[in-house]
Amino acid sequence: MRFFTAGESHGPELTAIIEGLPAGLSLSAEDINIELARRQTGYGRGGRMLIEKDQVRFTSGIRHGKTLGSPLTMVVENKDWKNWQSIMSAEPVEEKLKNVRRVSKPRPGHADLVGGIKYRHKDLRNVLERSSARETTMRVAIGAVAKKILSELAIEVAGHVVVLGGIEVDVPNNLTVSEIKELSEKSELRVVVPTVEDEMKQLIDETKKNGDTIGGVVEVVVGGVPIGLGSYVNYDRKLDAKIAQAVVSINAFKGVEFGVGFEAAYRPGSQIMDEIIWNEQDGYTRKTNHLGGFEGGMTNGEPIIVRGVMKPIPTLYKPLMSVDIDTKEPYKASVERSDSTAVPAASVVAEAVVATELAKEILEQFSSDSMEELKEAVKLHREYTKNY
Ligand code: EPS
């Protein structure tokens, strides 16, 4: 399975093409729209989310509610496009319209300046339109398809916020994946402990008032994972490494960890490795899950636990100092409409990209021309691993 996304933030629409999906997967626009709506909620988002109501349209790869095995194309319209038609026009426009909303003062922390230098753009809008986190819409759409495959294989994915602007969620350590899903879904901030919400909202309000932004940490957990996805035999086949790449590729993400993660630097090996046990019902399991479901770049059957850190959004209403690319004079950076925080939305995106990497790996590892074949192959594999 491979995929592409395309589309500018204020262009007419966003597109994704996925190739290599099994035939016979039940899929509806509603399956995708539910996930798109989850990404659009969350306390602390700006005005744009009031304009957009993301809805997918399939234009290929599906017939009568089932995938065909041919490339699946999904399109999401940008409702805001109507306000940007001449600014973002594909056709040349009159001279006097060319510089409307031109950006010449790059925002620190954004792709603006480096992208401008690299592609030799003199209007930094040409960079920010694609580097915008609007692109994550299509990653969530692709993730929704991936999740559909995973759910047919009894694999469940849940994402939630564990730190927001320095406020930590005291996550109970015995929660199941389903409980994490259920609890975070009820929360506007996608946290599993509702008592922390007031403090977080207050911080978001204060941050907004100060023209500033905050980041945080999101966690994705996956249950029901077959043993042996990914491989130790070559660096580029390690599944934890592929997931790490996918998580860090989310806009504004700066780091990733699995299980105890960076905490491993502070503990002896005896408190990190997960002891192996076996019983007839569950086969091989571990007494603990400090390693977050991976050994040797392969899934070991324990839940995958992966966290990613998101820096505060770099577009500030109280802008930082920058340089105007026309005059080279110091200037305050451009102010674009923005969110105070998008960490809750980012937890939905993280969920999507992890689901996508897992589905990709599963489709590569097992016969998967059709869902029927795939389900049979995974079932046989699970029976084998239990009694190995
Ligand atoms: C974004 C800036 C804002 C956000 C946008 C990401 O958009 P605008 O400039 O249109 O106000 O709302 O996020 C989305 C549109 C989205 O769908 O998540 C940015 O600069 O990254």
Side-chain angles (χ1 to χ4, degrees), residues 9-10 39 45 48-49 54 80 107 110 132-134 136-137 315 337-339:
S9 181
H10 304 98
R39 193 195 69 94
R45 301 225 57 192
R48 177 78 182 270
M49 285 306 100
D54 294 337
D80 208 8
R107 298 159 299 170
H110 256 279
S132 163
R134 179 81 186 133
T136 60
T137 306
T315 307
R337 178 177 56 188
S338 180
D339 310 308

